[in-house]
Amino acid sequence: MRTILNILKQRGFVTSSRGGHALTAKGRKWVGEPPELVKVNCGGLTVGKVDVATVVRGGAGKVKKGVEQRDEAMKAGALGATVLVFQDSRLRFPDDATEVGGSVGKKLVEALKLKEGDVVVIGTADDEVRAEMGARAAARSLR
């Protein structure tokens, strides 16, 4: 552990003091901002009881079919993940451009303040912790 901290200090990512360790501005930029998470009820759009959504800004170009993100969410303990792309002012599935409208689509667009090219990742599980872990893991695969 000490070796890792020394390497991070040498690279300017952390500072150390008697009180502990803290990220520098360079370190925060390197790690990135924590993702915004929103608990939503997506009904039949997902397979779990609890849904947690996050957004990957400008990530639309990195999405193929969304299967890769689902797999990452499952590895993290979720039941799965649903990936949606915001293009042409519409929320759609990435592989067949089927639009997600209605109250769920509107709720996601408003809650996450979506912009052109954004990706919504919805982690789903039987409990909120696993749904959140799935959403985070799936989103990380797009960064």
Side-chain angles (χ1 to χ4, degrees), residues 95-118:
D95 56 348
D96 65 2
T98 301
E99 189 174 340
V100 177
S103 62
V104 173
K106 185 176 179 181
K107 188 185 315 180
L108 289 169
V109 170
E110 290 173 0
L112 296 170
K113 298 174 181 62
L114 297 178
K115 298 176 185 143
E116 192 69 20
D118 287 349

Side-chain angles (χ1 to χ4, degrees), residues 42-60:
C42 293
L45 190 62
T46 60
V47 296
K49 294 178 186 173
V50 180
D51 304 318
V52 175
T54 189
V55 62
V56 177
R57 302 281 177 209

Side-chain angles (χ1 to χ4, degrees), residues 56-65 68-69 119 141-143:
V56 177
R57 302 281 177 209
K62 296 177 184 175
V63 177
K64 295 175 186 160
K65 292 188 175 190
E68 302 83 3
Q69 288 70 43
V119 176
S141 72
L142 293 171
R143 290 194 164 100

Side-chain angles (χ1 to χ4, degrees), residues 65-113:
K65 292 188 175 190
V67 175
E68 302 83 3
Q69 288 70 43
R70 180 209 59 203
D71 292 347
E72 290 301 316
M74 292 175 78
K75 287 178 193 174
L79 292 175
T82 301
V83 179
L84 305 169
V85 178
F86 191 70
Q87 289 180 321
D88 300 324
S89 299
R90 294 190 168 113
L91 197 56
R92 305 167 184 225
F93 285 94
D95 56 348
D96 65 2
T98 301
E99 189 174 340
V100 177
S103 62
V104 173
K106 185 176 179 181
K107 188 185 315 180
L108 289 169
V109 170
E110 290 173 0
L112 296 170
K113 298 174 181 62

Side-chain angles (χ1 to χ4, degrees), residues 19-37:
H21 306 283
L23 285 172
T24 63
K26 181 179 178 183
R28 281 189 295 278
K29 184 176 180 184
W30 179 63
V31 170
E33 293 297 317
E36 178 184 352
L37 298 165

